[in-house]
């Protein structure tokens, strides 16, 4: 306890230097809070948005997954309803829907065009789950087969209008040309390229197009824990209906199995860089402090202060400043973090469009400021101070009492 | 003496490379009177093409997951004009194709539209089969497109065949190389191997069940096409009925017929 009292007293002896040290910590922690707020918020948004569309644990034919980039439509789930029923019976599974997605060429009106997009067919419950109606920019929701919704990007490219006859040229599971005709009744605009480049049909219509009666390309599982869908997926895998099929948590699938750990790495690099830069500044100020107090340290060492005690004195002093600096840094960073959480950063739809084919990226990404980020900010501030003060404090511990007292004269 | 010996040696050395440069003759051709490439290809074309004809065809498309059977009715005139209408199954019923030269159209009854097949669509298989639209529209005047060479005489299914290698004269041909086994008697190509410009084998065509038609020609009533790039798939085309020399109205090969039947 006496070390703590000594540390606070020493911190107040040179207020200017202590404030400089604290300011370094404040800025470092504030920057950390701001960046982490945005990084975690944006990645959380991206994962939530993505898993909304791909499910927490998508189920597909094992051969389909192996060649997913080629989208081999003949590797489908023959009895989709049986898989849906088995999935819903598993603990932790809240929803399951059959989905078929296929590339199509789209024409509107009399002209046969060459606009390409994705046609998606699923059950009504899935469209409710992804909140399609919330993104209805124009028109109405379909009331039956032959009434379709189309993403705003496709509508623009195809030069389509509400009420237009839309022709989709897809292909069957054998690769044979397979057309469908419908009416455009609504336009979807979500800001996410994945959504805005799709045409939405009923599951039965897509089953007809691809010629897989009763089948689906995927069954999407939704669980009560997005980040821990492994357990229900593994439990379902043991079911007899899963023969030839694989249920895989989204975080285990490409490209997310690389993105999720990459976010941790980015966070680590960010923290490491801020600690390094801030610690350098603290090192500088603490070194000056040690040099100025050499005689004093000598006297204290002569009076029985151990080397450990000398190290502890300076580390605790830096830590005390950093604790205050960390709290103030969090408060300083909270302002911009709140702004990022409420207003976000808008990339512009062009950039989101270019990036959003694999990941559900919206044109505006928001931060997410949490108590966890605040706590990590304060801890990081203390870490910065400890790292920055350690070497100077070792130097203090190495001071010989006689030499130090002679130095002070 | 020395000078003559030296001259003889020099001449023999000069002759050796040119002798070595000649392709070795396949032993199967030794002593054979080879037909001309023109004769073989002309005979082949005579057998496979008609002034006019109608035919009923059964096309079976086999892939690892399922087998699908189509019933088709077809009219044809010469090398360049043909039409087809799908009769079964119900999903494809009423789908029609029209070919004129190297152009092709399809009529899709479900959307009541005619679509010209062009660009990347030409590479798709018709009705998911191993026969692409490009196969259907490409010229069969091989004597014009390819340089040919008889490379061997081999038995296929117990019958003597001429092995003929055709190499495309230009780069804008679907199959840069074709290797044919032409029946020495019927002049039907019982087997073909089709190669891309990279040298990769992309398809095999087999023709069998050869029957003599009324006008003395031989015609393969069964064709089998294998796409070597896809495992476990093949397409079998069986001509179940054929009638030659029929009268055909000009309208049959028009877009109007395509849309109205």
């Amino acid at each position: 306890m006496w070390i703590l009292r000594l540390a606070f007293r020493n911190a107040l002896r040179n207020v200017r230097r202590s404030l400089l040290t604290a300011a370094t910590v404040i800025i470092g922690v504030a920057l950390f809070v701001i960046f982490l707020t945005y990084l975690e918020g944006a990645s959380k948004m991206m994962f939530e948005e993505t898993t909304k569309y791909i499910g927490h644990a998508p189920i597909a034919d094992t051969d389909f997954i192996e060649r997913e980039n080629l989208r081999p439509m003949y590797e489908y789930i023959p009895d989709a309803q049986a898989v849906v029923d088995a999935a819903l019976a598993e603990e932790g599974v809240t929803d399951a829907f059959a989905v078929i997605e296929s590339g199509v060429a789209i024409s509107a009106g009399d002209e046969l065009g060459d606009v390409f997009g994705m046609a998606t067919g699923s059950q009504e419950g899935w469209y409710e789950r992804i909140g399609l109606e919330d993104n209805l920019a124009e028109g109405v929701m379909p009331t039956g087969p032959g009434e379709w919704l189309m993403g705003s990007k496709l509508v623009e490219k195809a030069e389509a209008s509400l009420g237009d006859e839309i022709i989709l040229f897809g292909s069957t599971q054998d690769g044979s040309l397979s057309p469908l005709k419908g009416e455009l009744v609504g336009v979807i605009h979500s800001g996410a390229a994945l959504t805005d480049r799709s045409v939405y049909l009923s599951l039965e219509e897509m089953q007809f197009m691809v010629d897989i009666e009763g089948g689906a390309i995927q069954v999407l599982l939704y669980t009560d824990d997005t980040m821990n869908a492994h357990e229900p997926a593994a439990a379902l895998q043991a079911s007899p209906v899963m023969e030839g099929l694989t249920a895989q948590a989204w975080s285990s699938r490409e490209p997310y199995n690389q993105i999720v750990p990459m976010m941790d790495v980015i966070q680590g690099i960010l923290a490491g860089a801020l600690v390094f830069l801030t610690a350098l500044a603290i090192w500088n100020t603490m070194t000056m402090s040690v040099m100025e107090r050499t005689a004093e340290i000598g006297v204290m060492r002569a009076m029985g202060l151990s080397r450990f005690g000398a190290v502890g004195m300076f580390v605790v002093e830096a830590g005390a400043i950093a604790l205050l600096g960390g709290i103030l840094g969090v408060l300083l960073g909270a302002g911009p973090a709140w702004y990022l959480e409420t207003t976000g950063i808008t990339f512009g739809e062009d950039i989101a469009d270019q990036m959003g084919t694999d990941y559900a990226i919206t044109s505006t990404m928001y931060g997410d400021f949490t108590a966890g980020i605040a706590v990590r900010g304060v801890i990081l501030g203390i870490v910065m101070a400890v790292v920055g003060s350690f070497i100077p404090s070792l130097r203090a511990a190495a001071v010989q009492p006689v030499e130090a007292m002679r130095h002070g004269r | 003496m020395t000078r003559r010996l030296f001259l003889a040696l020099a001449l023999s050395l000069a002759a050796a490379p040119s002798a070595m440069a000649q392709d070795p003759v396949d032993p199967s051709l030794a002593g054979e009177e080879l037909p001309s490439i023109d004769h073989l290809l002309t005979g082949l074309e005579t057998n496979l093409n008609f002034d006019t004809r109608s035919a009923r065809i059964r096309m079976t498309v086999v892939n690892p997951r399922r087998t699908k059977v189509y019933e088709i009715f077809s009219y044809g005139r010469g090398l360049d004009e043909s039409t087809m209408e799908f009769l079964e199954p119900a999903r494809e019923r009423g789908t029609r194709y029209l070919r004129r030269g190297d152009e092709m159209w399809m009529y899709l009854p479900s959307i009541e539209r005619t679509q010209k097949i062009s660009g990347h669509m030409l590479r798709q298989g018709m009705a998911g089969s191993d026969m692409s639209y490009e196969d259907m529209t490409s010229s069969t005047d091989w004597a014009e497109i390819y340089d040919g060479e008889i490379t061997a005489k081999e038995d296929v299914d117990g019958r003597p065949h001429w092995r003929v290698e055709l190499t495309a004269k230009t780069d804008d041909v679907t199959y840069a190389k074709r290797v044919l086994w032409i029946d020495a008697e019927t002049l039907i190509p019982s087997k073909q191997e089709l190669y891309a410009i990279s040298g990769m084998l992309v398809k095999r065509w087999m023709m069998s069940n050869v029957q003599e038609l009324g006008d003395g020609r031989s015609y393969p009533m069964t064709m089998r096409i294998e796409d070597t790039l896809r495992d476990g798939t093949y397409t079998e085309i069986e001509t179940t009925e054929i009638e030659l020399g029929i009268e055909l109205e000009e309208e049959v090969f028009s877009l109007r017929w395509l849309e109205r039947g």
Side-chain angles (χ1 to χ4, degrees):
Chain A
M1 279 306 291
W2 65 270
I3 282 187
L4 264 173
R5 282 202 303 271
L6 198 59
F8 275 106
R9 196 180 299 165
N10 285 331
L12 292 171
R13 278 168 62 181
N14 192 329
V15 177
R16 193 180 297 175
R17 184 182 299 128
S18 296
L19 282 176
L20 185 62
T21 306
T24 311
V25 174
I26 290 168
I27 292 168
V29 169
L31 285 174
F32 178 78
V33 165
I34 293 165
F35 283 126
L36 203 63
T37 295
Y38 194 69
L39 184 67
E40 290 203 350
S43 55
K44 186 180 165 190
M45 259 190 87
M46 189 171 79
F47 295 149
E48 280 180 355
E49 200 67 19
T50 301
T51 55
K52 205 163 67 169
Y53 293 101
I54 70 165
H56 299 162
I59 301 168
D61 185 283
T62 307
D63 292 329
F64 178 88
I65 292 171
E66 277 176 23
R67 287 175 288 152
E68 195 168 353
N69 287 343
L70 299 175
R71 299 200 78 80
M73 304 302 278
Y74 52 88
E75 309 283 15
Y76 59 92
I77 301 170
D79 187 350
Q81 193 56 49
V83 176
V84 167
D85 293 341
L88 289 172
E90 288 295 335
E91 193 179 330
V93 175
T94 55
D95 276 322
F97 303 104
V99 174
I100 299 172
E101 261 191 341
S102 180
V104 291
I106 299 156
S107 290
D110 291 333
E111 291 297 315
L112 289 176
D114 58 358
V115 174
F116 296 97
M118 290 298 279
T120 302
S122 186
Q123 297 147 308
E124 205 176 312
W126 186 69
Y127 291 126
E128 285 172 13
R129 172 106 199 181
I130 65 172
L132 208 60
E133 192 166 0
D134 298 336
N135 295 313
L136 187 67
E138 284 179 61
V140 296
M141 294 297 285
T143 55
E147 294 184 359
W148 298 341
L149 301 173
M150 197 186 295
S152 55
K153 289 285 176 198
L154 279 185
V155 169
E156 189 186 328
K157 279 189 183 176
E159 295 178 4
S161 307
L162 289 178
D164 275 357
E165 183 182 80
I166 303 295
I167 292 176
L168 303 180
F169 286 96
S171 53
T172 64
Q173 55 159 305
D174 313 294
S176 173
L177 191 64
S178 183
L180 273 183
K181 187 166 68 172
E183 183 191 349
L184 179 62
V185 299
V187 179
I188 299 296
H189 181 75
S190 70
L194 266 180
T195 330
D196 294 349
R197 284 189 188 161
S198 294
V199 185
Y200 299 94
L201 290 62
S202 67
L203 181 65
E204 292 74 21
E205 285 172 311
M206 282 304 291
Q207 285 171 335
F208 177 83
M209 177 190 279
V210 183
D211 197 13
I212 53 173
E213 192 180 336
I217 299 301
Q218 294 188 91
V219 168
L220 305 185
L221 283 196
Y222 293 86
T223 64
D224 47 21
D225 184 354
T226 309
M227 299 306 292
N228 192 26
H230 301 272
E231 285 177 19
L236 179 63
Q237 194 65 56
S239 168
V241 301
M242 291 294 292
E243 190 181 336
L245 308 179
T246 298
Q248 213 175 12
W250 69 275
S251 52
S252 302
R253 298 188 72 187
E254 300 254 352
Y256 314 107
N257 58 351
Q258 294 165 10
I259 293 175
V260 173
M262 192 172 72
M263 292 296 176
D264 291 338
V265 168
I266 291 173
Q267 198 182 127
I269 291 172
L270 175 71
L274 285 170
V275 163
F276 177 73
L277 290 170
T278 313
L280 270 182
I282 295 172
W283 181 18
N284 187 48
T285 56
M286 295 309 292
T287 300
M288 285 171 60
S289 180
V290 165
M291 286 171 65
E292 284 173 9
R293 289 151 64 182
T294 303
E296 176 192 328
I297 296 165
V299 168
M300 293 176 73
R301 290 275 282 120
M303 288 170 64
L305 180 69
S306 66
R307 286 177 191 269
F308 181 78
V311 170
M313 192 170 72
F314 281 94
V315 170
V316 170
E317 180 184 334
I321 297 171
L323 178 63
L324 181 65
I327 293 169
L328 291 174
V330 167
L331 290 173
L332 179 64
W338 175 83
Y339 175 83
L340 289 172
E341 190 167 316
T342 53
T343 310
I345 296 178
T346 300
F347 293 104
E349 290 196 5
D350 284 344
I351 294 175
D353 201 37
Q354 282 165 28
M355 292 172 68
T357 49
D358 288 320
Y359 322 113
I361 294 176
T362 58
S363 54
T364 303
M365 301 290 273
Y366 296 89
D368 184 26
F369 182 47
T370 62
I373 290 176
V375 167
R376 272 181 280 169
V378 172
I379 293 171
L380 194 76
I382 296 170
V383 168
M384 289 172 187
V386 169
V387 170
S389 64
F390 193 70
I391 292 177
S393 60
L394 283 179
R395 191 178 282 178
V399 165
Q400 295 300 319
V402 172
E403 292 295 322
M405 285 187 284
R406 199 176 290 158
H407 181 269
R409 286 197 181 154
Chain B
M1 181 66 179
T2 307
R3 189 180 291 176
R4 280 184 190 169
L5 188 61
F6 177 77
L7 191 61
L9 190 62
L11 282 172
S12 65
L13 283 172
S18 60
M20 284 162 59
Q22 288 173 5
D23 288 334
V25 175
D26 191 279
S28 64
L29 298 177
E32 289 282 347
E33 192 180 326
L34 301 184
S36 71
I37 291 293
D38 272 347
H39 167 74
L40 290 178
L41 296 183
T42 304
L44 183 159
E45 204 172 288
T46 303
N47 278 324
L48 297 182
N49 292 291
F50 313 89
D51 288 337
T52 60
R53 61 143 174 82
S54 68
R56 195 173 173 106
I57 296 162
R58 180 175 301 128
M59 182 169 77
T60 305
V61 180
V62 177
N63 70 45
R65 282 282 182 127
R66 69 176 185 178
T67 298
K68 202 157 177 186
V69 181
Y70 301 89
E71 292 287 334
I72 302 164
F73 194 83
S74 169
Y75 291 112
R77 183 164 67 191
L79 288 175
D80 292 331
E81 291 175 310
S82 65
T83 66
M84 279 191 293
E85 180 171 351
F86 280 68
L87 306 175
E88 296 291 340
R91 187 194 156 95
E92 278 77 19
R93 190 180 298 143
T95 302
R96 299 189 201 101
Y97 291 86
L98 167 66
R99 180 192 159 222
R100 292 203 303 238
D102 60 0
E103 292 182 304
M104 195 157 184
W105 295 263
M106 69 186 295
Y107 174 74
L108 299 154
S110 60
I111 59 171
E112 295 170 321
R113 293 284 185 100
T114 297
Q115 167 76 31
K116 186 170 182 183
I117 300 169
S118 58
H120 67 91
M121 285 174 71
L122 283 169
R123 289 190 178 79
Q124 285 186 350
M126 183 186 70
S129 72
D130 298 286
M131 183 166 64
S132 66
Y133 297 116
E134 200 166 41
D135 290 334
M136 296 168 70
T137 55
S138 57
S139 172
T140 55
D141 190 2
W142 293 341
E144 189 70 28
I145 302 166
Y146 293 97
D147 289 320
E149 183 189 359
I150 298 173
T151 56
K153 191 172 187 185
E154 296 174 5
D155 272 356
V156 176
D157 295 333
R159 293 176 64 86
H161 284 68
W162 298 110
R163 185 180 186 275
V164 176
E165 285 190 17
L166 301 179
T167 307
K169 294 176 183 174
T170 59
D171 286 344
D172 61 347
V173 175
T174 307
Y175 302 111
K177 180 176 152 184
R178 292 177 182 255
V179 179
L180 289 70
W181 285 260
I182 301 176
D183 189 298
E185 187 183 318
T186 64
L187 299 184
I188 295 293
S190 302
K191 191 166 94 171
Q192 286 187 63
E193 287 179 350
L194 310 180
Y195 293 82
I197 198 164
S198 63
M200 182 186 287
L201 173 66
V202 292
K203 278 193 189 167
R204 286 194 193 89
W205 280 55
M206 275 71 73
M207 296 185 181
S208 60
N209 190 16
V210 176
Q211 293 183 16
E212 253 190 61
L213 302 181
D215 58 356
R217 77 178 71 209
S218 299
Y219 189 77
M221 302 298 274
T222 304
M223 277 190 258
R224 178 178 164 126
I225 305 159
E226 295 172 3
D227 185 334
T228 58
L229 302 180
R230 293 160 60 187
D231 283 337
T233 72
Y234 66 88
T235 299
E236 196 167 88
I237 299 171
E238 192 185 342
T239 305
T240 54
E241 293 169 22
I242 188 165
E243 201 176 334
L244 308 180
I246 58 170
E247 276 193 35
L248 286 173
E249 290 179 20
E250 196 58 43
E251 198 188 56
V252 169
F253 303 105
S254 69
L255 290 170
R256 191 163 174 273
W257 176 89
L258 188 68
E259 290 171 4
R260 296 188 187 181

